[in-house]
Amino acid sequence: MIVRTPEELEGLRRVGALVAETTRRMREAVAPGVSTAELDLIAARTFHEYGALSGPMETYAFPGSTCISVNEEVVHGIPGGRKLREGDLVTLDVTPELDGWLADAAVTVPVGEVSDEARRLLDAADACLAAALGVARAGMPLREIGRTVQETAAALGASPFEELCGHGIGRELHEDPTVPNVDVPTLRTPLEEGLVIAVEPMLTLGDPRLVERGDGWTIATADGALSVHVEHTIVVQDGAPIVLTA
């Protein structure tokens, strides 16, 4: 969607603030021995407190209030009985719907002390997201986001997943445009002021091929390598974007 009125922006800011608050509460509870279902329950209770619904649950009948993915699981992990262990990486992907507005963010959180490899991957993801937001300006070609993620990742020894992309968001969970994490030279369309998009680098230090688990939802690295996923919903401007979910 394109933000055209102050009222639209205010609605997006409210749901973005809820994303940030929910993510904060969940990440504070991350610890060895905590199950992914327990983390998801924190999100469900927070959504209820604010009068919000789960975007994935409402849109796709996803079996959880949030997507929670661990280690080699890249996206769409189903919350359940899996207990976190020291050294794990857990991704919290939070997308509520509040008063008809949606925003989306993800963060990968280390569980206790993690390996040097895991730390390097976390740092690479943060660098990719920061670099991508730096080029997400009105008038820039859409391809610049993916090119920047890909080049930043490569410089740090990581690889993005070509099949997994960001997206437009606002009134629906997934809207146009698709926002790749690799360079797509044909995406010359300029970013428009007011465009609302979710920018979400997803990286691995291993082989960027993917597999879908038998549950029909979880997407994981084919080689079992660690993965990370970071994301913010932004409003494109002439200058730096408005980050709704920070």
Side-chain angles (χ1 to χ4, degrees):
M1 69 166 290
I2 304 293
V3 175
R4 303 193 186 280
T5 68
E7 292 77 17
E8 290 175 336
L9 181 57
E10 178 57 27
L12 289 165
R13 285 190 185 277
R14 286 197 304 272
V15 71
L18 175 55
V19 172
E21 174 64 13
T22 304
T23 303
R24 182 189 67 78
R25 294 183 186 184
M26 293 174 74
R27 72 180 300 163
E28 285 181 353
V30 168
V34 174
S35 73
T36 57
E38 289 174 295
L39 295 176
D40 191 60
L41 183 58
I42 292 170
R45 287 172 171 167
T46 306
F47 292 172
H48 180 73
E49 177 184 338
Y50 283 82
L53 300 170
S54 163
M57 190 178 286
E58 291 296 307
T59 304
Y60 299 113
F62 181 76
S65 294
T66 60
C67 301
I68 303 180
S69 307
V70 182
N71 293 336
E72 78 287 350
E73 298 170 350
V74 187
V75 288
H76 307 158
I78 300 173
R82 181 173 182 172
K83 293 184 181 294
L84 300 178
R85 299 179 299 176
E86 183 88 9
D88 282 346
L89 295 179
V90 57
T91 297
L92 313 172
D93 191 355
V94 178
T95 317
E97 178 184 339
L98 178 64
D99 300 327
W101 300 100
L102 294 103
D104 191 4
V107 61
T108 300
V109 181
V111 182
E113 293 296 321
V114 299
S115 66
D116 290 344
E117 177 187 50
R119 180 58 60 186
R120 184 157 65 95
L121 191 54
L122 289 166
D123 290 345
D126 288 342
C128 285
L129 182 57
L133 297 186
V135 299
R137 295 171 181 256
M140 292 288 284
L142 176 57
R143 67 173 290 196
E144 283 301 305
I145 294 176
R147 184 189 65 79
T148 299
V149 170
Q150 187 172 26
E151 290 185 356
T152 303
L156 297 170
S159 300
F161 301 99
E162 184 173 350
E163 299 95 327
L164 300 176
C165 303
H167 52 91
I169 191 170
R171 283 300 195 179
E172 297 180 11
L173 177 50
H174 291 107
E175 302 179 359
D176 290 334
T178 297
V179 185
N181 287 308
V182 298
D183 188 17
V184 181
T186 55
L187 290 180
R188 300 189 183 93
T189 304
L191 294 168
E192 186 175 346
E193 184 168 5
L195 178 67
V196 185
I197 53 175
V199 178
E200 49 182 319
M202 291 161 270
L203 309 176
T204 183
L205 297 178
D207 188 326
R209 287 180 295 179
L210 298 166
V211 293
E212 185 178 291
R213 292 276 173 81
D215 59 24
W217 291 101
T218 308
I219 297 175
T221 56
D223 60 0
L226 289 174
S227 66
V228 294
H229 174 197
V230 292
E231 175 183 19
H232 274 309
T233 296
I234 66 170
V235 180
V236 174
Q237 299 192 110
D238 282 336
I242 299 170
V243 182
L244 296 169
T245 49

